[in-house]
Amino acid sequence: QVQLVESGGGLVQAGGSLRLSCAASGRTFSNYAMGWFRQAPGKEREFVAGISKSGGRVDYADSVKGRFTISRDNAKNTGYLQMNSLKPEDTAVYYCAAVAQPPYTTRIRRQVHEYDYWGQGTQVTVSS
């Protein structure tokens, strides 16, 4: 199994930036694709960004494209989400997720049910 722990959330003003981290432990981190999801009160958990196991392919939700950057450092067993130009509608609990990825697969998974492991979440609040 893989254990995931998010950190880096907090309160920022609109237009500000935050960097979220997802520390992984357990099985070899490089065998897993990673994703970031968020969930606001009363809403479904939604896809934010995803990255392949090597970091060579990324995908973003349209709502964050151009503002957020997903990355990973397999040597440190850590994934990241850099969030710039934050808006109040970005306010949510942010979760990192992982799923085993077969060799030579480049498809980024965008659905909650496609991931097997989840972190506990970290709160991001953007004030106006």
Side-chain angles (χ1 to χ4, degrees):
Q1 66 174 20
V2 175
Q3 295 176 262
L4 306 173
V5 179
E6 302 97 332
S7 62
L11 174 64
V12 297
Q13 295 186 33
S17 298
L18 283 174
R19 187 178 75 156
L20 306 183
S21 297
C22 178
S25 62
R27 297 188 179 276
T28 304
F29 183 60
S30 61
N31 291 337
Y32 295 84
M34 300 287 297
W36 287 94
F37 292 76
R38 66 188 182 187
Q39 188 167 23
K43 299 185 67 177
E44 294 290 316
R45 191 169 299 186
E46 66 176 1
F47 172 79
V48 176
I51 188 167
S52 62
K53 61 183 182 180
S54 68
R57 186 174 178 85
V58 297
D59 193 23
Y60 298 94
D62 289 343
S63 59
V64 307
K65 194 171 299 182
R67 300 187 297 120
F68 291 11
T69 302
I70 187 171
S71 63
R72 66 190 296 163
D73 187 339
N74 287 343
K76 296 181 178 180
N77 288 351
T78 303
Y80 304 95
L81 184 68
Q82 178 67 46
M83 305 185 294
N84 298 327
S85 301
L86 283 162
K87 305 174 180 179
E89 51 263 44
D90 294 319
T91 296
V93 176
Y94 283 70
Y95 299 88
C96 65
V99 61
Q101 186 174 33
Y104 311 110
T105 298
T106 59
R107 178 177 68 87
I108 301 299
R109 295 169 169 85
R110 300 172 63 96
Q111 304 295 320
V112 170
H113 72 266
E114 294 182 299
Y115 289 84
D116 296 320
Y117 304 99
W118 294 84
Q120 83 289 347
T122 186
Q123 177 71 46
V124 172
T125 302
V126 184
S127 65
S128 59

